[in-house]
């Protein structure tokens, strides 16, 4: 499941408005392996796909689904429900579902599990309590802890100083995946993760050179990018190059024999 996957960040967000059905449809068309999307809940308890906590300077949590889409419509887009995303993507592409807040984990899991096979999604979050609840109640579901220097400086220090095993005990969580902001790679976290066989997603990677380097790094299992079109192209080129090199080696070996 987790080997150098191209993960479309909020859908193909360089081709369409992020976290919209159009962005998700484009990601599927491009051939990405995963779509990453954000989950929030409205005042009337509708789970929606939306990144920011506000829309037009109003809190998502204080607006109904209808009110949110009235505002979104004035800005030229529509906010989909999580259920709409699940219906669209079912059996077509895997999902990285990011929980933006705590408190609606059970509601999200009931919905996702009703549509998607367990090996077709992972749950991501910065919130340790959310991931801990999910892992306790759904032990087979894969979870990923999002880490960035801005949001998790203390956790990163623990990880760098003590390594993964002690880090997991200190935060009382054993995430299946570490989802690292790409700027954090300079701290040697890929090496730390590799020592413990811990899969790593890297986000959000949009630079062609960096995408190319990560595609060829066997310590990286997923690349989260706003440019899945570019990443898929680079991945296909890398595969062709590997096959070509493999064929050349086989030919040389045959000649020597």
């Amino acid at each position: 499941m987790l080997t150098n996957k191209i993960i479309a960040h909020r859908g193909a967000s360089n081709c369409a408005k992020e976290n919209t059905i159009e962005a998700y449809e484009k990601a599927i068309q491009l051939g990405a392996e995963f779509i990453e999307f954000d989950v929030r809940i409205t005042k009337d308890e509708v789970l929606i796909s939306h990144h920011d906590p506000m829309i037009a300077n109003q809190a998502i949590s204080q607006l109904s689904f209808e009110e949110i889409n009235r505002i979104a419509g004035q800005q030229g887009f529509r906010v989909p429900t999580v259920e709409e995303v699940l219906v669209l993507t079912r059996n077509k592409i895997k999902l990285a579902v990011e929980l933006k807040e705590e408190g609606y984990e059970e509601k999200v899991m009931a919905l996702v599990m009703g549509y998607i096979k367990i090996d077709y999604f992972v749950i991501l979050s910065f919130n340790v309590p959310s991931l801990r609840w999910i892992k306790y109640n759904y032990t087979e579901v894969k979870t990923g802890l999002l880490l960035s220097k801005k949001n998790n400086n203390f956790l990163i220090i623990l990880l760098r100083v003590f390594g993964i095993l002690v880090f997991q005990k200190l935060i009382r969580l054993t995430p299946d995946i570490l989802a690292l902001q790409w700027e954090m790679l300079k701290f040697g976290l890929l090496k730390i993760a590799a020592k413990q066989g811990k899969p790593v997603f890297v986000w959000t990677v949009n630079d062609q050179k960096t995408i190319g380097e990560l595609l060829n790094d066997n310590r990286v299992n997923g690349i989260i990018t706003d440019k899945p079109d570019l990443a898929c192209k680079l991945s296909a080129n890398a595969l062709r190059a590997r096959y070509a090199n493999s064929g050349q080696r086989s030919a040389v070996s045959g000649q020597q024999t």
Side-chain angles (χ1 to χ4, degrees):
M1 177 181 173
L2 305 173
T3 31
N4 271 41
K5 303 300 183 185
I6 305 303
I7 304 167
H9 185 233
R10 307 176 195 170
S13 51
N14 67 321
C15 301
K17 173 70 176 176
E18 66 179 40
N19 278 311
T20 63
I21 293 298
E22 293 78 12
Y24 302 144
E25 288 175 334
K26 187 63 177 178
I28 295 169
Q29 293 170 11
L30 290 169
E33 285 91 353
F34 275 78
I35 287 171
E36 182 271 350
F37 74 97
D38 303 297
V39 177
R40 292 191 181 274
I41 195 165
T42 66
K43 183 179 181 180
D44 51 346
E45 298 192 343
V46 177
L47 293 170
I48 62 170
S49 172
H50 191 73
H51 178 268
D52 295 342
M54 312 282 285
I55 184 169
N57 296 318
Q58 298 182 69
I60 291 291
S61 61
Q62 298 304 308
L63 296 170
S64 70
F65 178 62
E66 183 179 349
E67 289 169 332
I68 288 166
N69 268 310
R70 188 181 304 123
I71 295 169
Q74 293 169 355
Q75 299 178 9
F77 70 100
R78 181 180 175 278
V79 176
T81 65
V82 171
E83 187 167 16
E84 288 178 276
V85 179
L86 297 175
V87 169
L88 171 71
T89 58
R90 181 168 47 183
N91 299 325
K92 296 177 184 176
I93 193 168
K94 295 179 180 178
L95 299 176
V97 184
E98 182 181 345
L99 304 188
K100 302 301 290 185
E101 303 146 312
E102 297 176 38
Y104 46 82
E105 296 85 357
E106 186 172 3
K107 190 177 179 70
V108 170
M109 291 306 301
L111 187 56
V112 173
M113 295 284 283
Y115 280 94
I116 308 296
K117 296 176 182 177
I118 202 167
D119 58 346
Y120 258 66
F121 71 92
V122 300
I123 302 292
L124 304 178
S125 187
F126 285 102
N127 303 316
V128 171
S130 292
L131 296 180
R132 186 183 299 137
W133 186 93
I134 289 167
K135 205 64 184 173
Y136 180 81
N137 290 280
Y138 298 88
T139 56
E140 299 303 313
V141 169
K142 287 185 169 60
T143 59
L145 177 62
L146 287 158
L147 291 172
S148 72
K149 189 168 178 60
K150 177 181 178 181
N151 295 327
N152 309 101
N153 194 42
F154 176 66
L155 293 183
I156 293 165
I157 291 171
L158 290 180
L159 183 56
R160 292 174 65 190
V161 172
F162 296 108
I164 282 179
L165 291 179
V166 175
F167 168 83
Q168 290 176 161
K169 291 179 181 178
L170 287 171
I171 66 172
R172 292 182 293 137
L173 173 70
T174 306
D176 300 286
I177 303 159
L178 290 180
L180 307 176
Q181 189 177 26
W182 72 270
E183 292 92 339
M184 293 167 50
L185 300 185
K186 63 185 177 183
F187 298 132
L189 299 185
L190 279 180
K191 183 177 181 181
I192 293 171
K195 281 184 178 180
Q196 298 298 328
K198 182 69 66 175
V200 172
F201 286 174
V202 181
W203 58 276
T204 301
V205 188
N206 295 323
D207 173 72
Q208 180 171 331
K209 181 175 182 291
T210 306
I211 292 172
E213 291 172 351
L214 294 179
L215 283 170
N216 289 290
D217 192 327
N218 60 14
R219 300 170 299 176
V220 175
N221 302 92
I223 299 169
I224 301 176
T225 177
D226 294 325
K227 300 179 178 180
D229 49 347
L230 173 62
C232 287
K233 180 180 178 180
L234 293 174
S235 180
N237 290 342
L239 282 173
R240 280 195 291 269
R242 287 174 192 170
Y243 286 135
N245 291 336
S246 176
Q248 290 172 0
R249 286 194 295 269
S250 296
V252 170
S253 176
Q255 290 172 1
Q256 292 174 342
T257 301

